[in-house]
Amino acid sequence: MNKRQARYFAIGSTLLATLVFLGLTIDSHRQFPKLTNAQNITPAVTLGKDVWHKNNCINCHTIFGEGAYYAPDLTKIAQQRGAPYLRAFLKDPSKFYDEQRHRRLMPQQDLSDADIDGLIAFLDWVSQVDNQDWPPRPIMVTGLGATGANAASPAAAVEGSTAAATASDKDPVALGERVFRSAAPACTACHALTPGADMAGPSLAGIATRTQETLASPDYKGSATDLATYIRESITHPSAHLVAGAMYSANGVSFMPNTYQKDLTPEQLAHLAAYLATFK
């Protein structure tokens, strides 16, 4: 290739790259309204955005991977926690985390009810944005998630390993473990499988034993009669029986999302109940 050919090649490559860049830019802007659900930007969402900036939330938190990394990523927090939890948390964060035990505590923002409603609307809108799975690994709300989520179930231990339990696609316990790890919102975002590792929801270690005590208690007001139906009731109607603790409910409403009955099939619920029933 002589100098003239090299020059033409460089000019042509530059023009081609520029055209591709401009095309991709135009295509991105064309898709922004759909990807961001722009039609769902209500006055409440706009108010929440203003509250987010006014209180410098980004100084500790991240959304879409942008911000500080001192506190959890909140891109999907509205799906992971739900409005009742967020409302109670924003009113008084100290009820949920202890500065001595967790070594950090969100400062009291003294937000009005209107500001809290707006901030929840904003975070809900953020959670619905098609962000192409970014960030790929958002910060968990608590570090206990990794420990609790990776704990092997008693049934898996009997088989020798989790891999042995998942060898068959017909094993309801193995299928239930898959549901536990893949459901949306993620079960592992709120529940650990390690004894004493209470997160946004109580640890599920020993749920089988505790359920028998709960069903025999006069304080139980649900309709379940055995372990399997109690687990399914807890998943599909989380407010039927409230576990004591300010972190788990407020005003008679459980903080656990009530969307699983719609999002999970009856077979998935049965498999999930079979898996959790192995935790004695």
Side-chain angles (χ1 to χ4, degrees):
M1 181 181 295
N2 56 39
K3 291 183 177 180
R4 175 178 293 181
Q5 290 173 327
R7 183 168 59 252
Y8 288 156
F9 178 80
I11 294 173
S13 298
T14 301
L15 290 175
L16 178 61
T18 301
L19 290 174
V20 171
F21 175 77
L22 290 175
L24 291 174
T25 300
I26 293 172
D27 183 64
S28 295
H29 281 276
R30 180 180 61 82
Q31 295 190 57
F32 280 161
K34 178 182 177 181
L35 294 174
T36 62
N37 296 311
Q39 72 279 4
N40 294 330
I41 301 179
T42 64
V45 173
T46 302
L47 170 63
K49 175 184 68 69
D50 294 339
V51 173
W52 171 271
H53 290 299
K54 178 181 178 181
N55 290 274
N56 296 315
C57 302
I58 204 168
N59 284 355
C60 293
H61 295 281
T62 58
I63 53 175
F64 304 132
E66 295 292 332
Y69 287 86
Y70 178 76
D73 180 279
L74 301 183
T75 305
K76 298 295 183 181
I77 191 65
Q79 294 180 8
Q80 294 172 338
R81 291 293 187 263
Y85 175 95
L86 293 176
R87 184 171 290 104
F89 183 90
L90 290 169
K91 280 184 175 294
D92 189 357
S94 65
K95 290 183 177 180
F96 293 79
Y97 292 97
D98 178 81
E99 191 167 13
Q100 296 297 322
R101 189 156 59 94
H102 298 96
R103 296 189 298 175
R104 64 181 64 180
L105 181 66
M106 177 171 164
Q108 176 59 264
Q109 300 293 328
D110 295 321
L111 300 175
S112 67
D113 289 340
D115 284 350
I116 290 175
D117 289 342
L119 190 53
I120 292 173
F122 171 66
L123 292 173
D124 182 63
W125 174 78
V126 167
S127 73
Q128 302 298 328
V129 171
D130 184 355
N131 56 6
Q132 309 293 308
D133 296 325
W134 179 266
R137 189 180 179 185
I139 302 172
M140 292 296 291
V141 175
T142 171
L144 291 174
T147 302
N150 292 333
S153 71
V158 171
E159 293 292 335
S161 68
T162 302
T166 58
S168 172
D169 286 340
K170 296 182 180 180
D171 181 1
V173 173
L175 292 171
E177 183 176 6
R178 295 179 190 176
V179 175
F180 183 80
R181 300 186 188 284
S182 63
C187 304
T188 54
C190 295
H191 295 286
L193 302 177
T194 303
D198 295 326
M199 295 159 47
S203 168
L204 297 179
I207 185 175
T209 301
R210 293 199 306 273
T211 295
Q212 300 305 322
E213 299 171 353
T214 298
L215 294 177
S217 170
D219 295 330
Y220 175 67
K221 306 301 182 183
S223 58
T225 57
D226 56 28
L227 175 60
T229 56
Y230 175 81
I231 293 176
R232 285 198 294 270
E233 178 186 75
S234 300
I235 297 169
T236 59
H237 299 84
S239 295
H241 175 72
L242 301 177
V243 176
M247 283 188 64
Y248 310 141
S249 65
N251 302 317
V253 178
S254 172
F255 293 147
M256 179 170 169
N258 59 1
T259 56
Y260 291 110
Q261 184 178 27
K262 172 175 62 71
D263 295 337
L264 298 180
T265 67
E267 290 77 14
Q268 287 176 313
L269 290 170
H271 295 156
L272 187 53
Y275 172 62
L276 294 177
T278 63
F279 292 89
K280 306 296 185 181

